[in-house]
Every structure is written in structure tokens, then in C-alpha cells.
Amino acid sequence: MTLGQGTRSGILADRMVDANSGTAISDEAAGQALAFLAEMSPDLRGAAILDSAGAVLAASDRPERWGEDVAALLEVADRAGGEPVEQIHIATEQGEVFAIRHAGLAAVAVTERFALASLLFFDMRSVLRDLASGNGGGEALL
């Protein structure tokens, strides 16, 4: 996989294109996906979905901050492992952070403590899979 112009190595993958129409994923579809994720994850404090260039497609608040913080998180994780990571889980006394890359997109979620990691990763991956396939985010799961 080659990196898009202006994309830093190891941060995000190529810009994902809807396989059915050849168009980029819309902010509206990403917003619907984020709303679905929030509905499915009651412990969610905040979340964002980013494209391959690191641009925030949808965020629970302050999109510019999510873009910067997600890029930094993924860069540190990639450097620590020596190669791009697919998923990240960080747990602290105050809460948990989950990040996942799938099909050229990235999703990050911040939750209350003791969120079910396997369930949240499943939901996040499903939402990204739906977005990447052009089904929006979450409709295929209903």
C-alpha cells in the first residue's frame, strides 16, 4: 500500500474510497457512523473517525484537537512497535482509550473505566468496515 501525498509514514493508510461509487467517504456518513457507535457504546465519552490523511471526518467535539491527538497517538505506537499497529488499547484510572485502523480509516474512542475492550473493538471495526464498503456506518449491523 502506498501513502497518499502529504501523509506521514505509519500514521494512516491511503484515503479510503467508496468501492461502489468511487467517491470519498462523506462527513455525513462518518457522522452517522459515530452516532451509531455512541448508541452502541454507553461507556463512550468521546470519539472520532479520521481518513487516511488524518483529516477528521466526524468527532464528538473539537475536531482539530482529535486530529492532532490521534496522529500523535498512532505515531508513538508505530514507533514503539517498529511497524504500523492495527489497534491500541490504553487503560488508566480515569478511563480507557481505544484506537483502530481498518480499510484506510481510523477510529478512536475514549470511554469510562472497565469498558469491554473486545466489544468496543468489534463495534469500531464494524463501523469502519461499513464506511469503507459504502454502506454508511452501522446500517448493516441493524
Side-chain angles (χ1 to χ4, degrees):
M1 186 178 295
T2 60
L3 295 174
Q5 213 170 21
T7 303
R8 293 182 305 201
S9 175
I11 300 301
L12 300 172
D14 281 339
R15 180 163 177 79
M16 190 62 207
V17 173
D18 180 333
N20 298 324
S21 69
T23 61
I25 295 166
S26 71
D27 292 350
E28 181 182 353
Q32 291 172 347
L34 195 60
F36 180 79
L37 185 60
E39 183 180 325
M40 297 302 295
S41 308
D43 293 329
L44 195 71
R45 289 185 190 168
I49 297 174
L50 292 84
D51 71 8
S52 61
V56 177
L57 298 174
S60 54
D61 65 347
R62 297 174 50 196
E64 69 286 347
R65 186 68 193 261
W66 280 100
E68 295 169 6
D69 292 346
V70 171
L73 174 67
L74 294 173
E75 186 174 17
V76 167
D78 289 346
R79 269 197 322 243
E83 62 185 73
V85 297
E86 181 183 336
Q87 64 184 40
I88 300 166
H89 179 203
I90 301 168
T92 70
E93 292 286 326
Q94 292 77 33
E96 302 187 37
V97 176
F98 299 86
I100 189 165
R101 290 175 172 142
H102 181 77
L105 299 169
V108 176
V110 178
T111 67
E112 300 292 336
R113 242 177 119 195
F114 304 119
L116 295 174
S118 59
L119 185 57
L120 191 56
F121 276 130
F122 176 83
D123 289 344
M124 291 170 71
R125 187 173 283 112
S126 295
V127 163
L128 293 183
R129 185 179 304 122
D130 285 351
L131 277 174
S133 70
N135 291 331
E139 292 88 16
L141 298 175
L142 296 177

